[in-house]
Tab-separated table of all heavy atoms in Angstrom:
chain	number	residue	atom	x	y	z
M	98	VAL	N	-1.019	-3.918	4.235
M	98	VAL	CA	-0.195	-3.093	3.346
M	98	VAL	C	1.037	-2.582	4.081
M	98	VAL	O	2.162	-2.643	3.562
M	98	VAL	CB	-1.026	-1.912	2.790
M	98	VAL	CG1	-0.132	-0.895	2.093
M	98	VAL	CG2	-2.087	-2.425	1.827
M	99	LYS	N	0.836	-2.111	5.297
M	99	LYS	CA	1.964	-1.595	6.087
M	99	LYS	C	2.986	-2.692	6.361
M	99	LYS	O	4.202	-2.485	6.203
M	99	LYS	CB	1.419	-1.010	7.391
M	99	LYS	CG	2.449	-0.340	8.266
M	99	LYS	CD	1.779	0.473	9.370
M	99	LYS	CE	0.810	-0.369	10.199
M	99	LYS	NZ	0.237	0.387	11.335
M	100	THR	N	2.510	-3.867	6.735
M	100	THR	CA	3.414	-4.998	6.981
M	100	THR	C	4.206	-5.348	5.725
M	100	THR	O	5.427	-5.546	5.775
M	100	THR	CB	2.613	-6.229	7.443
M	100	THR	OG1	1.982	-5.943	8.681
M	100	THR	CG2	3.522	-7.443	7.616
M	101	ALA	N	3.500	-5.424	4.604
M	101	ALA	CA	4.163	-5.785	3.341
M	101	ALA	C	5.245	-4.765	2.979
M	101	ALA	O	6.388	-5.144	2.665
M	101	ALA	CB	3.125	-5.893	2.232
M	102	LEU	N	4.886	-3.502	3.018
M	102	LEU	CA	5.849	-2.477	2.620
M	102	LEU	C	7.053	-2.430	3.555
M	102	LEU	O	8.190	-2.223	3.112
M	102	LEU	CB	5.166	-1.106	2.571
M	102	LEU	CG	4.089	-0.943	1.485
M	102	LEU	CD1	3.463	0.443	1.573
M	102	LEU	CD2	4.664	-1.181	0.101
M	103	ASN	N	6.822	-2.650	4.825
M	103	ASN	CA	7.922	-2.615	5.783
M	103	ASN	C	8.772	-3.885	5.758
M	103	ASN	O	9.789	-3.964	6.445
M	103	ASN	CB	7.393	-2.348	7.193
M	103	ASN	CG	6.888	-0.917	7.350
M	103	ASN	OD1	7.254	-0.023	6.593
M	103	ASN	ND2	6.016	-0.696	8.327
M	104	HIS	N	8.345	-4.877	4.945
M	104	HIS	CA	9.137	-6.098	4.784
M	104	HIS	C	9.578	-6.292	3.333
M	104	HIS	O	9.810	-7.410	2.893
M	104	HIS	CB	8.340	-7.322	5.261
M	104	HIS	CG	8.279	-7.441	6.753
M	104	HIS	ND1	7.319	-6.801	7.505
M	104	HIS	CD2	9.070	-8.098	7.638
M	104	HIS	CE1	7.516	-7.069	8.788
M	104	HIS	NE2	8.566	-7.852	8.901
M	105	GLY	N	9.706	-5.186	2.616
M	105	GLY	CA	10.347	-5.263	1.314
M	105	GLY	C	9.446	-5.190	0.092
M	105	GLY	O	9.920	-5.017	-1.025
M	106	TYR	N	8.133	-5.377	0.265
M	106	TYR	CA	7.219	-5.246	-0.878
M	106	TYR	C	7.250	-3.789	-1.377
M	106	TYR	O	7.378	-2.858	-0.575
M	106	TYR	CB	5.783	-5.560	-0.475
M	106	TYR	CG	5.437	-7.001	-0.223
M	106	TYR	CD1	5.987	-7.707	0.852
M	106	TYR	CD2	4.504	-7.654	-1.023
M	106	TYR	CE1	5.630	-9.021	1.106
M	106	TYR	CE2	4.131	-8.980	-0.776
M	106	TYR	CZ	4.701	-9.658	0.284
M	106	TYR	OH	4.345	-10.956	0.544
M	107	ARG	N	7.072	-3.632	-2.684
M	107	ARG	CA	6.975	-2.279	-3.251
M	107	ARG	C	5.857	-2.199	-4.294
M	107	ARG	O	5.888	-1.355	-5.181
M	107	ARG	CB	8.319	-1.870	-3.888
M	107	ARG	CG	9.455	-1.684	-2.885
M	107	ARG	CD	9.167	-0.528	-1.928
M	107	ARG	NE	10.243	-0.328	-0.962
M	107	ARG	CZ	10.288	-0.881	0.233
M	107	ARG	NH1	9.322	-1.705	0.631
M	107	ARG	NH2	11.294	-0.628	1.046
M	108	HIS	N	4.862	-3.062	-4.178
M	108	HIS	CA	3.807	-3.168	-5.186
M	108	HIS	C	2.533	-3.596	-4.460
M	108	HIS	O	2.523	-4.622	-3.769
M	108	HIS	CB	4.252	-4.219	-6.227
M	108	HIS	CG	3.263	-4.540	-7.293
M	108	HIS	ND1	3.590	-5.376	-8.352
M	108	HIS	CD2	1.976	-4.186	-7.504
M	108	HIS	CE1	2.534	-5.506	-9.146
M	108	HIS	NE2	1.546	-4.804	-8.641
M	109	VAL	N	1.466	-2.816	-4.590
M	109	VAL	CA	0.187	-3.114	-3.943
M	109	VAL	C	-0.914	-3.048	-5.006
M	109	VAL	O	-1.024	-2.052	-5.729
M	109	VAL	CB	-0.137	-2.131	-2.799
M	109	VAL	CG1	-1.459	-2.497	-2.145
M	109	VAL	CG2	0.989	-2.112	-1.770
M	110	ASP	N	-1.735	-4.098	-5.080
M	110	ASP	CA	-2.766	-4.195	-6.102
M	110	ASP	C	-4.152	-4.229	-5.455
M	110	ASP	O	-4.469	-5.134	-4.691
M	110	ASP	CB	-2.554	-5.471	-6.919
M	110	ASP	CG	-3.588	-5.637	-8.030
M	110	ASP	OD1	-4.722	-6.057	-7.739
M	110	ASP	OD2	-3.239	-5.365	-9.191
M	111	THR	N	-4.974	-3.216	-5.788
M	111	THR	CA	-6.343	-3.156	-5.302
M	111	THR	C	-7.286	-2.929	-6.478
M	111	THR	O	-6.888	-3.022	-7.634
M	111	THR	CB	-6.511	-2.073	-4.210
M	111	THR	OG1	-7.834	-2.137	-3.685
M	111	THR	CG2	-6.231	-0.680	-4.736
M	112	ALA	N	-8.546	-2.636	-6.201
M	112	ALA	CA	-9.553	-2.366	-7.234
M	112	ALA	C	-10.732	-1.683	-6.567
M	112	ALA	O	-10.991	-1.894	-5.371
M	112	ALA	CB	-10.010	-3.661	-7.911
M	113	SER	N	-11.472	-0.905	-7.336
M	113	SER	CA	-12.619	-0.211	-6.738
M	113	SER	C	-13.635	-1.191	-6.173
M	113	SER	O	-14.223	-0.955	-5.114
M	113	SER	CB	-13.282	0.701	-7.771
M	113	SER	OG	-13.783	-0.047	-8.865
M	114	ILE	N	-13.830	-2.333	-6.845
M	114	ILE	CA	-14.826	-3.312	-6.408
M	114	ILE	C	-14.414	-4.002	-5.108
M	114	ILE	O	-15.249	-4.589	-4.418
M	114	ILE	CB	-15.101	-4.368	-7.511
M	114	ILE	CG1	-16.392	-5.151	-7.250
M	114	ILE	CG2	-13.904	-5.291	-7.674
M	114	ILE	CD1	-17.646	-4.337	-7.278
M	115	TYR	N	-13.148	-3.924	-4.729
M	115	TYR	CA	-12.703	-4.541	-3.475
M	115	TYR	C	-13.189	-3.748	-2.256
M	115	TYR	O	-13.139	-4.253	-1.133
M	115	TYR	CB	-11.173	-4.629	-3.407
M	115	TYR	CG	-10.519	-5.463	-4.474
M	115	TYR	CD1	-9.125	-5.465	-4.611
M	115	TYR	CD2	-11.257	-6.254	-5.359
M	115	TYR	CE1	-8.504	-6.223	-5.577
M	115	TYR	CE2	-10.624	-7.011	-6.339
M	115	TYR	CZ	-9.246	-6.980	-6.449
M	115	TYR	OH	-8.613	-7.723	-7.419
M	116	ASN	N	-13.575	-2.497	-2.470
M	116	ASN	CA	-14.065	-1.644	-1.377
M	116	ASN	C	-13.067	-1.489	-0.241
M	116	ASN	O	-13.443	-1.447	0.939
M	116	ASN	CB	-15.407	-2.181	-0.833
M	116	ASN	CG	-16.520	-2.094	-1.860
M	116	ASN	OD1	-16.678	-1.072	-2.525
M	116	ASN	ND2	-17.277	-3.163	-2.012
M	117	ASN	N	-11.782	-1.422	-0.601
M	117	ASN	CA	-10.780	-1.243	0.448
M	117	ASN	C	-9.682	-0.245	0.048
M	117	ASN	O	-8.608	-0.215	0.655
M	117	ASN	CB	-10.165	-2.583	0.866
M	117	ASN	CG	-9.498	-3.323	-0.280
M	117	ASN	OD1	-9.222	-2.747	-1.337
M	117	ASN	ND2	-9.223	-4.609	-0.078
M	118	GLU	N	-9.958	0.571	-0.954
M	118	GLU	CA	-8.935	1.523	-1.413
M	118	GLU	C	-8.548	2.520	-0.320
M	118	GLU	O	-7.372	2.883	-0.189
M	118	GLU	CB	-9.432	2.269	-2.657
M	118	GLU	CG	-9.501	1.387	-3.901
M	118	GLU	CD	-10.180	2.072	-5.073
M	118	GLU	OE1	-11.211	2.762	-4.849
M	118	GLU	OE2	-9.696	1.914	-6.203
M	119	LYS	N	-9.518	2.938	0.477
M	119	LYS	CA	-9.205	3.895	1.543
M	119	LYS	C	-8.188	3.305	2.524
M	119	LYS	O	-7.211	3.955	2.895
M	119	LYS	CB	-10.480	4.287	2.290
M	119	LYS	CG	-10.263	5.355	3.351
M	119	LYS	CD	-11.583	5.782	3.996
M	119	LYS	CE	-11.355	6.858	5.060
M	119	LYS	NZ	-12.635	7.262	5.702
M	120	GLY	N	-8.418	2.047	2.915
M	120	GLY	CA	-7.495	1.392	3.832
M	120	GLY	C	-6.128	1.157	3.209
M	120	GLY	O	-5.100	1.230	3.894
M	121	VAL	N	-6.101	0.871	1.915
M	121	VAL	CA	-4.818	0.703	1.213
M	121	VAL	C	-4.021	1.996	1.291
M	121	VAL	O	-2.820	1.995	1.602
M	121	VAL	CB	-5.047	0.288	-0.257
M	121	VAL	CG1	-3.750	0.405	-1.060
M	121	VAL	CG2	-5.566	-1.150	-0.325
M	122	GLY	N	-4.673	3.113	1.015
M	122	GLY	CA	-3.996	4.397	1.097
M	122	GLY	C	-3.464	4.689	2.491
M	122	GLY	O	-2.353	5.198	2.658
M	123	GLN	N	-4.263	4.337	3.482
M	123	GLN	CA	-3.828	4.545	4.870
M	123	GLN	C	-2.587	3.707	5.176
M	123	GLN	O	-1.644	4.184	5.822
M	123	GLN	CB	-4.960	4.165	5.831
M	123	GLN	CG	-6.123	5.141	5.821
M	123	GLN	CD	-7.313	4.666	6.631
M	123	GLN	OE1	-7.421	3.486	6.947
M	123	GLN	NE2	-8.214	5.583	6.966
M	124	GLY	N	-2.589	2.459	4.705
M	124	GLY	CA	-1.444	1.587	4.939
M	124	GLY	C	-0.171	2.124	4.301
M	124	GLY	O	0.916	2.041	4.886
M	125	ILE	N	-0.300	2.686	3.102
M	125	ILE	CA	0.868	3.271	2.433
M	125	ILE	C	1.414	4.434	3.244
M	125	ILE	O	2.624	4.532	3.485
M	125	ILE	CB	0.491	3.718	1.005
M	125	ILE	CG1	0.153	2.501	0.131
M	125	ILE	CG2	1.626	4.531	0.370
M	125	ILE	CD1	-0.473	2.842	-1.203
M	126	ARG	N	0.515	5.300	3.697
M	126	ARG	CA	0.963	6.472	4.464
M	126	ARG	C	1.533	6.092	5.823
M	126	ARG	O	2.439	6.755	6.338
M	126	ARG	CB	-0.194	7.467	4.631
M	126	ARG	CG	-0.552	8.203	3.346
M	126	ARG	CD	-1.595	9.284	3.576
M	126	ARG	NE	-2.875	8.723	4.031
M	126	ARG	CZ	-3.779	8.188	3.208
M	126	ARG	NH1	-3.536	8.119	1.918
M	126	ARG	NH2	-4.913	7.715	3.673
M	127	GLN	N	1.028	5.018	6.411
M	127	GLN	CA	1.495	4.607	7.748
M	127	GLN	C	2.807	3.813	7.685
M	127	GLN	O	3.443	3.590	8.713
M	127	GLN	CB	0.421	3.761	8.428
M	127	GLN	CG	-0.817	4.558	8.833
M	127	GLN	CD	-1.969	3.673	9.274
M	127	GLN	OE1	-1.854	2.455	9.308
M	127	GLN	NE2	-3.104	4.290	9.595
M	128	SER	N	3.189	3.395	6.500
M	128	SER	CA	4.452	2.652	6.366
M	128	SER	C	5.622	3.623	6.430
M	128	SER	O	5.448	4.846	6.461
M	128	SER	CB	4.478	1.907	5.030
M	128	SER	OG	4.701	2.809	3.958
M	129	ASN	N	6.812	3.074	6.412
M	129	ASN	CA	8.014	3.912	6.433
M	129	ASN	C	8.543	4.164	5.030
M	129	ASN	O	9.685	4.602	4.867
M	129	ASN	CB	9.104	3.230	7.274
M	129	ASN	CG	8.669	3.018	8.707
M	129	ASN	OD1	8.067	3.908	9.305
M	129	ASN	ND2	8.964	1.852	9.271
M	130	ILE	N	7.725	3.893	4.023
M	130	ILE	CA	8.184	3.941	2.638
M	130	ILE	C	7.619	5.162	1.923
M	130	ILE	O	6.427	5.456	2.012
M	130	ILE	CB	7.768	2.659	1.885
M	130	ILE	CG1	8.167	1.407	2.690
M	130	ILE	CG2	8.385	2.632	0.496
M	130	ILE	CD1	9.639	1.319	3.045
M	131	ALA	N	8.475	5.847	1.180
M	131	ALA	CA	8.051	7.029	0.433
M	131	ALA	C	7.085	6.621	-0.678
M	131	ALA	O	7.220	5.559	-1.280
M	131	ALA	CB	9.260	7.736	-0.164
M	132	ARG	N	6.139	7.491	-0.980
M	132	ARG	CA	5.123	7.204	-2.004
M	132	ARG	C	5.763	6.844	-3.343
M	132	ARG	O	5.299	5.924	-4.030
M	132	ARG	CB	4.196	8.414	-2.172
M	132	ARG	CG	3.337	8.402	-3.448
M	132	ARG	CD	2.319	7.262	-3.422
M	132	ARG	NE	1.570	7.169	-4.672
M	132	ARG	CZ	1.833	6.292	-5.635
M	132	ARG	NH1	2.834	5.425	-5.512
M	132	ARG	NH2	1.101	6.258	-6.734
M	133	ASP	N	6.810	7.535	-3.750
M	133	ASP	CA	7.378	7.292	-5.079
M	133	ASP	C	8.132	5.969	-5.166
M	133	ASP	O	8.593	5.585	-6.249
M	133	ASP	CB	8.265	8.454	-5.524
M	133	ASP	CG	9.463	8.696	-4.616
M	133	ASP	OD1	9.657	7.922	-3.661
M	133	ASP	OD2	10.202	9.674	-4.860
M	134	GLU	N	8.234	5.264	-4.053
M	134	GLU	CA	8.866	3.945	-4.069
M	134	GLU	C	7.834	2.814	-4.108
M	134	GLU	O	8.194	1.640	-4.176
M	134	GLU	CB	9.755	3.764	-2.835
M	134	GLU	CG	10.963	4.680	-2.814
M	134	GLU	CD	11.853	4.430	-1.609
M	134	GLU	OE1	11.870	3.281	-1.115
M	134	GLU	OE2	12.515	5.382	-1.162
M	135	VAL	N	6.545	3.169	-4.050
M	135	VAL	CA	5.477	2.165	-4.011
M	135	VAL	C	4.706	2.173	-5.329
M	135	VAL	O	4.230	3.230	-5.768
M	135	VAL	CB	4.513	2.415	-2.833
M	135	VAL	CG1	3.488	1.283	-2.744
M	135	VAL	CG2	5.281	2.545	-1.524
M	136	PHE	N	4.568	1.011	-5.940
M	136	PHE	CA	3.836	0.858	-7.203
M	136	PHE	C	2.391	0.496	-6.853
M	136	PHE	O	2.105	-0.594	-6.386
M	136	PHE	CB	4.492	-0.259	-8.025
M	136	PHE	CG	4.022	-0.349	-9.446
M	136	PHE	CD1	4.675	0.351	-10.454
M	136	PHE	CD2	2.943	-1.147	-9.787
M	136	PHE	CE1	4.251	0.258	-11.784
M	136	PHE	CE2	2.508	-1.242	-11.101
M	136	PHE	CZ	3.168	-0.538	-12.100
């Protein structure tokens, strides 16, 4: 997620059944991108 956001992505798609929502949230916060810029 961090790599994607720092290379221009602004959209991340997860699901509860993927069992990785916590890590997705961490990646968003660790990126250099503001929350309101990420879909």
Side-chain angles (χ1 to χ4, degrees):
V98 169
K99 185 167 55 176
T100 297
L102 294 178
N103 290 339
H104 284 86
Y106 287 66
R107 293 296 180 268
H108 176 174
V109 181
D110 181 281
T111 185
S113 62
I114 196 64
Y115 298 171
N116 294 315
N117 59 16
E118 289 172 319
K119 184 176 180 181
V121 168
Q123 289 172 343
I125 293 169
R126 288 186 296 279
Q127 290 169 2
S128 75
N129 299 317
I130 310 304
R132 164 66 185 100
D133 61 4
E134 294 182 28
V135 185
F136 192 91

